[in-house]
């Protein structure tokens, strides 16, 4: 079934194939990809869309000497398969297996580690300049999607690159038909023509002659722009200083190989516009590319999920709360930076489309946009992953907190995120949020508490955050009625002796399990900021050991806040802070990852008993 694919363990072997063999290789690679991801889960639609482009890039460019930088990196499974990791695909996103994103430590072909969007052009430009500085003919290629191109960082890099003479190729993988739908024979022909040496030599020679006649040179440049602008949508990229080529069919291997071969001979910044289809070649993914963007295990014969949990996720709890809250208050608006489905906004977007704003991959803009709305009477709710909020930290401080604006942050994927690994782990938000003045920070311990905290945040007249983990909770019943919690007040969940465990959010459940063995007191602290100082004082006065536990790095986190509070109150008591260690934690199974960090009930018991001895 995979006879040709199994002969390819490196791009060097790929480049020995005849060009006429490449379509069959693409067919086998696509079939292998579907079968593999069905067994492991992972990203599917985006990878199916770049099969031909990946083959063409490794066929034309001298990788790994030539540098390929994949934006975001969730479309690099074909790249991994062709660069010696085919046999390891059954370990994808598993403990000690290969990562779901490019990693420099994993392969010399992974030239830049990515997981967040819109970094590829900056990184590839840096590599192109490094080659230039060292006098090398090495080429650098950035492959970026039309979604990632919405981020300001991408345009900053384009602006910088266009002013340089580095040998950089930016490939726009337009998989949403959002820029130009007119892909066909004429466009493919034009792309080959405009990327060819003859056109390049003619233009450079003409420019040389016309330099002696500046008005004529300017007229010629404008004429070229107008002619190309009538046939292509590249005027914007030409203005940045790139030679624009395309759009071309990203599933036409002959055109891809010919065009890339021509471009590799050109000097200076080049821009190739390629149109692909997400999920190409697999009907379920073609019909619903969003559903198959990130998948669990599924039946490849029909695309049906296998072993999906029936429990309600925190994301679903948020989505339902948002609709219910919007029913009550017409001032509510929902904002997300390109994560409508992932953040649970689909129902809200369908019911209240005029109050839903997907701003694209533009986290900084999302926050300042929300700030502007809050200034003029609206009630913005920003749905964002913990790891993506990091990208808008200045806007959080300067535009929202400093002005004490009532913006609610629904922070998904807090804590460890299992198979997605360190690029997507929300390990730092408690640390970077609690140090900001005016912020209220809440950590729900179950689904119902999450709903009530979201309502509490919405009623608060200032910036507030509710951070909750990926996946489902304990499965507790959710109260439809919404009640605001007393600000900065925790709750005793179990009375015990000697040891008091102050647990935050997702750690309440394992803390309660551990407490049964230890006969310890457990407090669901609920608020990281403001802290329940009265509760901390009371517990410290009655117990020999105060233990804090959080699914966040220990440094600067909730436990550190408790230690600071004890110091301010001049209270002397034995303390123990448990949380994520000072390292980036590799991908794996969430429960196992917590256990490895000592954050399951057994680990908590072991740490406390060790402290008591």
């Amino acid at each position: 079934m995979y006879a040709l694919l199994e002969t390819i363990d490196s791009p060097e072997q790929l480049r020995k194939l005849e060009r006429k063999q490449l379509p069959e290789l693409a067919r086998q690679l696509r079939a292998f990809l579907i079968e593999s991801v069905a067994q492991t889960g992972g990203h599917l639609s985006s990878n199916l869309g770049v099969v031909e482009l990946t083959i063409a890039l490794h066929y034309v460019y001298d990788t790994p000497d030539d540098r390929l930088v994949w934006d975001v990196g969730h479309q690099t499974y074909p790249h991994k398969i062709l660069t010696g990791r085919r046999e390891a695909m059954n370990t994808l996103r598993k403990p000690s297996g290969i990562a779901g994103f490019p990693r420099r430590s994993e392969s010399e072909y992974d030239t830049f580690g990515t997981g967040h969007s819109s970094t590829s052009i900056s990184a590839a430009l840096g590599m192109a300049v490094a080659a230039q500085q060292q006098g090398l003919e090495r080429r650098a290629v950035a492959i970026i999607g039309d979604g990632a191109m919405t981020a300001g960082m991408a345009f900053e890099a384009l602006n910088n690159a266009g002013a340089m003479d580095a040998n950089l190729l930016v490939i726009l993988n337009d998989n949403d038909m959002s820029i130009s739908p007119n892909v066909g024979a004429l466009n493919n022909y034009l792309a080959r023509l405009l990327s060819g040496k003859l056109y390049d030599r003619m233009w450079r020679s003409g420019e040389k002659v016309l330099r002696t006649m500046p008005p004529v040179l300017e007229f010629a440049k404008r004429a070229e722009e107008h002619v190309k602008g009538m046939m292509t949508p590249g005027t914007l990229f030409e203005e940045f200083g790139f030679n624009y080529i395309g759009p071309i069919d990203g599933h036409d291997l002959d055109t891809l190989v010919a065009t890339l071969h021509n471009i590799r001979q050109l000097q200076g910044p080049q821009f190739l516009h390629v149109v692909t289809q997400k999920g190409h070649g697999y009907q379920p993914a073609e019909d619903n590319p969003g559903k198959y963007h990130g998948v669990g295990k599924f039946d490849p014969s029909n695309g049906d999920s296998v072993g999906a949990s029936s429990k309600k996720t925190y994301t679903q709890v948020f989505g339902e709360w948002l609709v219910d809250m919007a029913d009550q208050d017409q001032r509510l608006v929902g904002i997300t930076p390109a994560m409508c489905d992932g953040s649970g906004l689909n129902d809200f977007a369908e019911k209240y489309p005029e109050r839903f704003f997907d701003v694209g991959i533009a986290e900084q803009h999302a926050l300042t946009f929300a700030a502007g709305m809050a200034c003029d009477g609206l009630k913005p709710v920003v749905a964002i992953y913990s790891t993506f909020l990091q990208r808008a930290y200045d806007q959080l401080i300067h535009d929202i907190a400093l002005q004490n604006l009532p913006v609610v942050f629904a922070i998904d994927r807090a804590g460890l995120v299992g198979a997605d690994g360190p690029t997507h782990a929300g390990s730092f938000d408690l640390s970077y949020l609690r140090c900001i003045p005016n912020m209220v920070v809440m950590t729900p311990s179950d689904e119902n508490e999450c709903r009530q905290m979201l309502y509490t945040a919405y009623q608060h007249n200032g910036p507030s955050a509710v951070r909750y983990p990926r996946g489902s909770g304990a499965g507790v019943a959710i109260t439809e009625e919404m009640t605001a919690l007393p600000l900065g007040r925790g709750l005793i969940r179990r009375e015990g002796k000697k040891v008091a465990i102050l647990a935050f959010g997702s750690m309440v459940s394992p803390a309660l399990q551990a407490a049964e063995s230890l006969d310890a007191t457990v407090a669901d602290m609920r608020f990281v900021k403001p802290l329940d100082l009265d509760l901390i004082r009371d517990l410290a006065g009655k117990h020999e050991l105060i233990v804090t536990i959080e699914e966040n790095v220990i440094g600067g986190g909730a436990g550190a806040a408790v230690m600071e509070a004890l110091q301010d109150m001049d209270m002397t008591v034995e303390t123990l802070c448990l949380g994520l260690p000072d390292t980036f934690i590799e991908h794996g199974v969430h429960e196992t990852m917590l256990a490895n960090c000592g954050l399951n009930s057994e680990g908590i018991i072991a740490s406390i008993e060790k402290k008591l001895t």
Side-chain angles (χ1 to χ4, degrees), residues 33-43 77 88-94 295-298 419:
L33 187 62
I34 294 167
E35 181 182 18
S36 176
V37 177
Q39 300 302 313
T40 63
H43 293 95
Y77 298 0
M89 284 298 290
N90 62 351
T91 71
L92 182 74
R93 295 158 39 98
K94 294 180 180 179
V295 295
K297 296 179 181 180
F298 66 95

Side-chain angles (χ1 to χ4, degrees), residues 456-506:
T456 305
Y458 191 78
Q459 300 306 317
H460 178 64
N461 190 29
S464 54
V466 180
R467 60 100 73 171
Y468 44 89
R470 180 180 192 169
S472 55
V476 304
I478 298 175
T479 307
E480 187 174 338
E481 183 182 354
M482 294 181 280
T483 306
L485 304 177
L487 205 64
R489 287 288 176 264
L491 179 70
I492 297 293
R493 296 285 296 272
R494 186 189 189 280
E495 294 278 4
K497 302 173 183 177
K498 199 171 183 178
V499 176
I501 303 175
L502 283 60
F504 294 85
S506 60

